[in-house]
Amino acid sequence: MGAIAPASLPRAAARGLVTAVFALLACLVTAQPAAADQTRSAQWQLNALDAKDAWKVSTGSGVIIAVLDSGVDATHPDLAGQVLPGLDLVDGGDGRVDPVGHGTTVAGLIAGRADDNAGVAGIAPGAKILPVRVLDKLNKYDDPAVIATGIRWAVDHGATVLNLSLGGALRSDEIAEALRYAADNDVVVVACTGNIATDPSIHEVWYPAREPGVVAVAGLSGGTPPSAKPTASPNPSKAGGNGGGGLWAGSLTGPETVLTAPADNLTGARPGGGYWQVQGTSFAAPLVAATASLIRAKYPRMSAANVINRLIGTAKDLGAQGRDDRYGFGEVDPLAALREPVAEVAANPLTVAAPKTESGKPARPSAAAQKTEEGGAAPQPVSETAGLAGARQSPDAEPVGSSVTVGLVATLLILILGAAGVLARHRTRRDDRF
């Protein structure tokens, strides 16, 4: 078990404290005295994502982002006035208490206040957080129905962007139906791809990030710990966009990956008014969710499908040209997403085959043809075929005939192996650890 976190400090002292955290199943918290502005200066992702320039265009004002997580400490100075009454599906309440800290960190990365030069600032400081607690005190969930209920509740209570910094190996029909409900109600859903170290037996992108239509976010490296001296990237123009470090070594990724964002050496808000250093795809996803809120605030009539299309169409290409299995479409670029022309689409490009250029990215229109303020049709998600552990049904099934017996035997074997997998992984549905 990690060291016990120091007691909460008043705001002036808390903003001079940077704590380092990393563990799989427990938090390791180390106090690091710092100058009053060290917390803000340690937020390398703000520079990497050109946040200050993006704020000149949009701050996310008027947009509600639901954070389905461990709750959010609404009393943290950096989140004062930023957190709406939400829902606690674990212990009851309005979700504005966080016994773990994970949700508070996520919320700060999204909408931490930027009205001074101290503490944590979010990418969308004008947005509001709707906390929906779905993770228990061990930072996990066992019943997918809880996640599904949280998604539906958030949609019904005004959220137009959902952040899901959680997941696991198993697909859930209940969550898939809730995600379809979100899409039908024109809501953007962002989820993390997952961490290798959380469960080494999982080698694919976590669910629900791999559900078609969800913006699955992998992590980039490139930040410098507050106590370390900066070092030059061997190839900053190719390795990781403005971050400069390439794919974070702990990030799960795969063909379902849509975007990447900074994931390591991030300084986050901690319950009680303090700060700590975190890493994980859980903390990359909120940077993309925040960017989606910037777009929704700038273009309030734009559909969720076109918000997603704008996110992927303006991303900084990394790795192989076009979309690839490591970086997806590339690193999220808030400023470009707000300014660059992108052709409209009629449906979510992550669920349908959309017209693309030779680079693999969505086609961009001429300036005269651009219609950025007109909303397109609501996205229509396509869920995977129901199956054990997310298995897909092959579209090339053999016709009924002599192969029936073999098919029945194979099906029975799959069911047995799948049931064993369910039992073995039943309690692995969790978010990534600090």
Side-chain angles (χ1 to χ4, degrees), residues 330-374:
E331 182 181 11
V332 67
D333 188 338
L335 187 59
L338 292 169
R339 288 183 171 176
E340 292 190 14
V342 179
E344 279 195 347
V345 294
N348 188 333
L350 302 179
T351 64
V352 296
K356 293 181 174 61
T357 63
E358 292 182 359
S359 69
K361 288 193 173 186
R364 298 186 185 182
S366 64
Q370 184 187 12
K371 296 180 180 179
T372 54
E373 294 185 358
E374 295 296 327

Side-chain angles (χ1 to χ4, degrees), residues 289-316:
T291 302
S293 77
L294 296 181
I295 299 171
R296 303 217 85 159
K298 172 65 174 176
Y299 305 108
R301 297 173 61 189
M302 184 174 287
S303 68
N306 280 283
V307 171
I308 293 172
N309 193 53
R310 181 165 283 274
L311 285 170
I312 64 179
T314 59
K316 297 174 183 176

Side-chain angles (χ1 to χ4, degrees), residues 18-413:
V18 177
T19 39
V21 178
F22 179 77
L24 286 181
L25 302 177
C27 294
L28 300 177
V29 182
T30 304
Q32 297 181 1
D37 61 348
Q38 182 172 337
T39 298
R40 179 64 57 84
S41 64
Q43 289 191 275
W44 67 275
Q45 77 276 10
L46 297 180
N47 289 330
L49 300 179
D50 297 318
K52 291 184 178 180
D53 286 335
W55 294 340
K56 297 175 183 177
V57 183
S58 174
T59 63
S61 179
V63 177
I64 297 175
I65 305 178
V67 173
L68 282 78
D69 215 289
S70 61
V72 175
D73 178 10
T75 68
H76 194 289
D78 297 338
L79 291 170
Q82 300 293 80
V83 186
L84 304 172
L87 178 67
D88 187 333
L89 290 170
V90 180
D91 293 328
D94 66 6
R96 292 188 289 184
V97 175
D98 184 1
V100 177
H102 191 275
T104 300
T105 299
V106 167
L109 291 169
I110 293 173
R113 290 167 48 194
D115 54 355
D116 59 23
N117 293 318
V120 167
I123 296 297
K128 298 298 183 184
I129 298 294
L130 183 67
V132 182
R133 186 183 173 205
V134 293
L135 302 177
D136 62 21
K137 293 180 180 179
L138 297 178
N139 214 29
K140 64 179 180 60
Y141 69 94
D142 294 322
D143 185 359
V146 173
I147 307 299
T149 299
I151 291 172
R152 291 176 179 273
W153 188 91
V155 171
D156 291 342
H157 287 78
T160 57
V161 179
L162 306 185
N163 186 85
L164 302 171
S165 290
L166 49 80
L170 304 181
R171 184 184 183 278
S172 162
D173 287 340
E174 291 172 293
I175 294 178
E177 287 295 329
L179 293 173
R180 184 177 295 109
Y181 181 76
D184 289 344
N185 283 276
D186 202 40
V187 174
V188 177
V189 180
V190 180
C192 63
T193 58
N195 295 339
I196 294 172
T198 301
D199 186 344
S201 68
I202 301 176
H203 303 289
E204 64 180 341
V205 168
W206 282 356
Y207 191 84
R210 66 175 184 267
E211 180 72 23
V214 174
V215 182
V217 183
L220 291 176
S221 183
T224 302
S227 59
K229 294 182 179 180
T231 57
S233 167
N235 188 2
S237 64
K238 189 67 176 175
N242 287 343
L247 191 72
W248 175 55
S251 177
L252 283 169
T253 192
E256 301 89 354
T257 297
V258 176
L259 290 170
T260 56
D264 74 340
N265 296 318
L266 300 173
T267 300
R270 177 176 61 82
Y275 305 95
W276 49 19
Q277 193 178 339
V278 298
Q279 59 184 356
T281 60
S282 270
F283 310 116
L287 303 179
V288 174
T291 302
S293 77
L294 296 181
I295 299 171
R296 303 217 85 159
K298 172 65 174 176
Y299 305 108
R301 297 173 61 189
M302 184 174 287
S303 68
N306 280 283
V307 171
I308 293 172
N309 193 53
R310 181 165 283 274
L311 285 170
I312 64 179
T314 59
K316 297 174 183 176
D317 195 11
L318 303 176
Q321 186 177 18
R323 186 178 186 178
D324 62 73
D325 291 354
R326 285 175 61 79
Y327 300 101
F329 290 95
E331 182 181 11
V332 67
D333 188 338
L335 187 59
L338 292 169
R339 288 183 171 176
E340 292 190 14
V342 179
E344 279 195 347
V345 294
N348 188 333
L350 302 179
T351 64
V352 296
K356 293 181 174 61
T357 63
E358 292 182 359
S359 69
K361 288 193 173 186
R364 298 186 185 182
S366 64
Q370 184 187 12
K371 296 180 180 179
T372 54
E373 294 185 358
E374 295 296 327
Q380 299 297 322
V382 180
S383 65
E384 298 175 3
T385 302
L388 295 173
R392 292 183 175 89
Q393 181 179 359
S394 171
D396 300 320
E398 296 181 18
V400 177
S402 60
S403 62
V404 170
T405 302
V406 175
L408 289 174
V409 172
T411 300
L412 182 60
L413 181 59

